[in-house]
């Protein structure tokens, strides 16, 4: 699509939205300020570099064997760079603790900022921020399904030390990069079948978290978040860190509360929870994912719930207190493409919402004119959103529409296939 045609379509789109008082130029400036935290674990199927032969545990499952999974930090950063070159805007990378880049062996209770210095140097070169997550899974000390709520104090203390050190790493990220690093705590603790005592594990989890968070860190550099989950593989009957547990903990301890799109009952959606949570919480961490009948972490598509999440964040002016990250992993498709699809769709959902005449719609709702509200929200679905998105991609120097796919396919042929061949010893 030629630049002249893009300009013409954009000019037309501006006129259409201007009818309802929407300044599209201002909208694109606003969108450019949004940072999506793109998760590193899509690139290597949640393996990490601490102990890549360790079985994936914690109720997490990755299926597929598409060629090109990253096996080293250098390969993962190379893939991330390729993905970011196809996504408009400047964003962040979300690291898990197990993605250390250091010489020699290091365990989770030994991590230090120095073990992630190469990630920081790379982020500086790329103009990116870094978020963090302590890793409470895929480790011998989590094999029985419990970590911070474990009845064995020795194992609990191991994970408490890991949590403390993870906070120091996140603070280091924020200080070095000048962008606040969100540090998200999720633990997989739970029972496969019905427990006798639901209270004691939750009390132990609360006390462990209190110990981890006892030291006050500069909130300019790092913010702590806590994340609930309904259930996981091996923890179908009872999850220690339930929604109610973390809702109470986050509000009483002034922590961000993480809402993951896949961590609730299949009939629940998180879009309907955001406005309520915003009234009482310190802030919100959003994990954008796509559950299919359960927390299956499918690649984010432009479905109704994603668009509703975008509307809730924009209509209620919640972007200032919401940190948006992605959380999915699919090894049945090109992993770089998965990043690009999910991130571009998340940005599109926000752009669609920003192009709505929110104040006008709010006014007619207050006036009780529900007919106009329904009619206009339906008609707006057919407004020239794509012309605005195409223009935005062009001005951000990334491919317009599906043109990015050819670049991914070329990268697959030149890099990913050869990487897989080398990994299995094919000359």
């Amino acid at each position: 699509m030629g630049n002249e045609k893009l300009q013409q379509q954009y000019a037309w789109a501006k006129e259409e939205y201007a009818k309802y008082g929407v300044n599209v130029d201002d909208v694109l400036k606003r969108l450019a300020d949004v940072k999506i935290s793109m998760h590193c674990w899509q690139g290597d199927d949640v393996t990490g570099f601490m102990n890549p032969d360790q079985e994936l545990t914690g109720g997490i499952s990755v299926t597929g064997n598409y060629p090109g999974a990253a096996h080293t930090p250098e390969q993962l950063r190379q893939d991330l760079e390729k993905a970011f070159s196809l996504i408009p805007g400047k964003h962040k990378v979300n690291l898990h603790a197990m993605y250390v880049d250091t010489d020699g062996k290091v365990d989770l209770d030994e991590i230090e900022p120095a073990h992630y210095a190469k990630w920081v140097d790379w982020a500086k070169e790329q103009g990116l921020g870094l978020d963090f997550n302590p890793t409470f899974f895929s480790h011998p000390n989590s094999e029985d399904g419990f970590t911070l709520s474990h009845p064995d104090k020795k194992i609990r203390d191991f994970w408490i030390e890991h949590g403390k050190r993870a906070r120091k790493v996140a603070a280091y990220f924020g200080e070095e990069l000048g962008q606040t690093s969100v540090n998200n705590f999720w633990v997989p603790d739970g029972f496969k079948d019905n427990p006798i005592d639901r209270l004691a594990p939750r009390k132990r989890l609360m006390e462990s978290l209190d110990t981890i968070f006892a030291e006050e860190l500069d909130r300019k550099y790092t913010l702590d978040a806590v994340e609930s989950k309904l259930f996981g593989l091996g923890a179908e009957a009872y999850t220690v860190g339930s929604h109610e547990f973390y809702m109470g903990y986050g509000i009483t301890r002034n922590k961000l509360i993480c809402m993951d799109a896949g961590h609730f009952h299949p009939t629940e959606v998180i879009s309907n929870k955001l406005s309520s949570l915003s009234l009482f919480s310190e802030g919100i961490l959003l994990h954008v994912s796509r559950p299919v009948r359960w927390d299956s972490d499918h690649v984010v598509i432009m479905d109704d719930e994603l668009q509703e999440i975008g509307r809730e964040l924009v209509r209620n002016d919640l972007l200032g207190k919401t940190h948006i990250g992605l959380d999915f992993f699919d090894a049945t498709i090109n992993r770089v493409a998965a990043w690009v699809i999910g991130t571009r769709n998340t940005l599109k959902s926000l752009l669609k919402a920003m192009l709505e005449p929110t104040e006008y719609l709010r006014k007619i709702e207050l006036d009780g004119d529900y007919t106009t509200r329904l009619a206009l929200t339906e008609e707006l679905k057919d407004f020239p959103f794509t012309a605005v998105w195409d223009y935005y991609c062009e001005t951000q120097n990334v491919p317009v529409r599906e043109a990015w796919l050819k670049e991914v396919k070329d990268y697959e042929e030149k890099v990913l296939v050869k990487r897989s061949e080398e990994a299995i010893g094919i000359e």
Side-chain angles (χ1 to χ4, degrees):
M1 190 177 299
N3 184 271
E4 184 178 349
K5 188 174 182 181
L6 282 177
Q7 293 279 0
Q8 292 173 348
Q9 292 181 339
Y10 181 66
W12 167 63
K14 287 174 64 175
E15 292 178 2
E16 292 296 300
Y17 286 107
K19 294 176 182 177
Y20 291 96
V22 177
N23 186 316
V24 177
D25 289 335
D26 288 345
V27 165
L28 292 187
K29 291 176 184 176
R30 187 180 179 192
L31 183 64
D33 289 334
V34 173
K35 291 182 181 294
I36 306 296
S37 191
M38 202 166 75
H39 56 312
C40 71
W41 49 92
Q42 166 61 51
D44 75 329
D45 308 333
V46 205
T47 299
F49 308 122
M50 192 168 279
N51 187 8
D53 296 325
Q54 171 75 38
E55 180 185 359
L56 181 61
T57 65
I60 301 168
S61 178
V62 180
T63 56
N65 57 356
Y66 203 89
H71 300 293
T72 68
E74 292 79 13
Q75 290 177 351
L76 184 56
R77 287 192 285 266
Q78 181 184 16
D79 294 349
L80 284 163
E81 286 180 27
K82 186 60 186 179
F84 279 125
S85 74
L86 306 172
I87 297 166
K90 277 293 182 182
H91 301 285
K92 304 174 82 175
V93 171
N94 200 5
L95 282 180
H96 245 286
M98 61 183 176
Y99 287 83
V100 293
D101 186 357
T102 186
D103 297 328
K105 193 78 172 175
V106 60
D107 208 345
L108 288 169
D109 65 339
E110 301 169 329
I111 60 170
E112 298 178 354
H115 299 134
Y116 304 89
K118 293 179 183 176
W119 280 105
V120 168
D121 291 341
W122 172 78
K124 288 179 180 178
E125 294 172 0
Q126 300 295 316
L128 302 168
L130 291 176
D131 291 323
F132 201 56
N133 307 259
T135 301
F136 293 99
F137 56 87
S138 297
H139 189 278
N141 282 343
S142 67
E143 285 181 346
D144 61 0
F146 290 87
T147 60
L148 290 178
S149 68
H150 204 289
D152 186 332
K153 185 178 184 300
K154 183 178 179 181
I155 293 180
R156 239 177 18 253
D157 286 345
F158 172 90
W159 291 113
I160 288 171
E161 182 64 23
H162 173 54
K164 289 179 177 179
R165 287 172 175 262
R167 296 184 76 217
K168 296 293 182 66
V169 173
Y172 161 69
F173 287 168
E175 189 171 1
E176 287 292 316
L177 298 172
Q179 299 184 45
T180 305
S181 179
V182 177
N183 190 21
N184 185 47
F185 282 72
W186 169 77
V187 300
D189 301 29
F191 283 108
K192 184 174 182 63
D193 214 336
N194 296 322
I196 300 301
D197 189 350
R198 289 183 170 89
L199 179 60
R202 287 177 173 146
K203 184 178 179 182
R204 290 193 293 267
L205 176 57
M206 179 182 70
E207 292 171 348
S208 294
L209 290 170
D210 284 346
T211 303
I212 290 171
F213 297 137
E215 182 180 357
E216 290 290 334
L217 299 179
D218 194 332
R219 296 175 65 84
K220 180 172 67 174
Y221 299 130
T222 184
L223 294 170
D224 301 306
V226 290
E227 178 181 2
S228 67
K229 191 170 185 179
L230 178 64
F231 80 101
L233 294 174
E236 290 87 353
Y238 166 81
T239 300
V240 182
S242 64
H243 173 61
E244 292 77 12
F245 175 90
Y246 280 124
M247 179 74 78
Y249 192 89
I251 290 173
T252 57
R253 268 64 168 184
N254 294 322
K255 303 300 179 187
L256 303 184
I257 297 174
C258 178
M259 305 292 283
D260 186 298
H263 283 194
F264 294 86
H265 190 277
T267 61
E268 287 185 281
V269 291
I270 65 171
S271 57
N272 197 36
K273 303 177 187 295
L274 296 175
S275 57
S276 294
L277 182 57
S278 71
L279 294 173
F280 305 102
S281 67
E282 182 74 10
I284 301 170
L285 172 61
L286 200 59
H287 273 191
V288 184
S289 184
R290 178 170 56 105
V292 177
R293 296 188 174 86
W294 70 292
D295 180 36
S296 50
D297 291 298
H298 284 63
V299 177
V300 171
I301 62 173
M302 187 62 78
D303 59 9
D304 290 343
E305 171 60 2
L306 179 64
Q307 294 180 74
E308 199 61 34
I309 289 171
R311 293 188 192 105
E312 284 295 299
L313 293 176
V314 173
R315 288 174 177 174
N316 298 305
D317 197 23
L318 297 181
L319 285 173
K321 66 180 303 180
T322 304
H323 305 265
I324 305 173
L326 304 180
D327 188 3
F328 51 78
F329 26 90
D330 188 345
T332 67
I333 65 174
N334 183 295
R335 296 168 183 83
V336 174
W339 274 324
V340 177
I341 294 167
T343 311
R344 285 174 68 119
N345 278 336
T346 302
L347 289 168
K348 286 180 185 178
S349 73
L350 294 173
L351 176 58
K352 277 192 170 185
M354 290 177 182
L355 289 169
E356 279 190 351
T358 303
E359 292 306 314
Y360 177 68
L361 292 170
R362 186 177 286 120
K363 179 183 181 302
I364 61 177
E365 181 173 85
L366 286 172
D367 291 342
D369 187 356
Y370 303 146
T371 302
T372 301
R373 181 185 64 181
L374 177 60
L376 186 53
T377 52
E378 287 302 299
E379 290 299 329
L380 283 167
K381 293 177 181 179
D382 297 322
F383 268 50
F385 153 78
T386 54
V388 180
W389 172 254
D390 291 345
Y391 177 81
Y392 181 63
C393 288
E394 177 77 10
T395 59
Q396 293 285 313
N397 298 312
V398 301
V400 174
R401 297 199 189 177
E402 76 280 6
W404 64 266
L405 184 58
K406 181 180 185 304
E407 291 200 30
V408 170
K409 289 293 187 180
D410 289 343
Y411 184 76
E412 177 178 320
E413 181 181 348
K414 296 174 182 177
V415 177
L416 302 181
V417 172
K418 292 181 180 179
R419 180 188 297 170
S420 290
E421 292 173 347
E422 290 171 359
I424 61 176
I426 297 177
E427 296 295 335

